Amino acid sequence: MDSDTRQSVIDIDSVSKAFGGLQALSNCSLSIPAGSITGLIGPNGSGKTTLFNTITGYERIDSGDIRFQGKSIARATPEKVFRLGIGRTFQLTRIFPKLTVLENMHVAVQRQGKGHLFSSWSAAHEQQKALELLNFVGIAQHKDLPAGNLSYGQRKLLEFAFILIADPQIILLDEPAGGVNPTMILYLADRIRELHQRGLTFLLVEHNMEFVMSLCQRVAVMHRGSIIAQGSPEEVRNNPLVLDAYLGEGVQ
Ligand SMILES: Nc1ncnc2c1ncn2[C@@H]1O[C@H](COP(=O)(O)OP(=O)(O)OP(=O)(O)O)[C@@H](O)[C@H]1O
Ligand SMILES: [Mg+2]
């Protein structure tokens, strides 16, 4: 099916967001087709993380709307957004360094709160699911280590497992490959492909162009708070506006 005619999971509709005098998002519009892996690229400071923060309830928008499966989530809290089925990782990982890897997974389960599917789980079931996910991301052998002892790349994998526990429909990844060694980047790409084949939708921000271009069917380009181009990796690569945007902000 043509990705442009597929139903979208998330619709970002003319969103603006200022921090004091700084216009971080400016009439930003983007639709994420269901079942796609969409890449979001753009120079440093172009508003990518801010867009993630507005989608996931960490920042309030000034105007516009954000819809998830057709319903506005513009005023939803991060907890509500997470429970609706939108998982995200952070550019700088957020884990509890003194807790073990497995204990971190239990914190993720607790975050589900009451009324969710998981609230009826037995402790044994929780434990099994946590171990399965740690195994899936490849760090199950470190389950009893304090999470603070993990390498940077392994912490990113833990954070990935952390959001999978909620069975999200869409996952937003903010620079998953940043600071991660090449072998682990390939491993991560395989995990993303596998989850994509199971029906998950991805929106990923990444400066590693090889990673983006090999993984994504669609790429959107942000510049100064707006989407200035989108299309297939090939179309985006050949779009002169995109090169101008990067060169205009200096070489990254
Ligand atoms: N909480 C905040 N308060 C004030 N300014 C902010 C805040 N968050 C982001 N900004 C500013 O908004 C602009 C967009 O930042 P953002 O972090 O979204 O960029 P980005 O595209 O993710 O960049 P990078 O590729 O470097 O991660 C920047 O100028 C940044 O300094
Ligand atoms: Mg960012």
Side-chain angles (χ1 to χ4, degrees), residues 1-35:
M1 205 191 305
D2 176 19
S3 56
D4 289 318
T5 58
R6 273 191 298 207
Q7 213 179 356
S8 48
V9 191
I10 291 181
D11 290 292
I12 296 146
D13 187 3
S14 292
V15 165
S16 293
K17 169 76 188 173
F19 297 108
L22 191 140
Q23 197 67 45
L25 297 175
S26 178
N27 278 317
C28 182
S29 294
L30 179 67
S31 289
I32 315 299

Side-chain angles (χ1 to χ4, degrees), residues 84-101:
L84 281 174
I86 303 176
R88 80 169 282 190
T89 60
F90 291 84
Q91 195 167 346
L92 301 170
T93 61
R94 293 190 178 182
I95 55 158
F96 299 98
K98 293 205 172 125
L99 299 183
T100 69
V101 168

Side-chain angles (χ1 to χ4, degrees), residues 142-200:
H142 304 305
K143 69 183 169 59
D144 297 320
L145 275 187
N149 288 14
L150 296 178
S151 73
Y152 181 69
Q154 289 167 335
R155 282 182 206 205
K156 291 205 155 192
L157 293 171
L158 173 58
E159 215 190 7
F160 198 26
F162 209 93
I163 53 175
L164 288 174
I165 208 136
D167 278 334
Q169 298 185 41
I170 177 163
I171 296 184
L172 315 185
L173 299 171
D174 200 351
E175 299 196 25
V180 175
N181 78 54
T183 313
M184 209 176 268
I185 291 176
L186 292 178
Y187 183 77
L188 182 66
D190 278 346
R191 300 279 78 80
I192 293 172
R193 283 194 193 97
E194 195 170 330
L195 291 168
H196 175 242
Q197 273 163 12
R198 291 193 216 163
L200 261 83

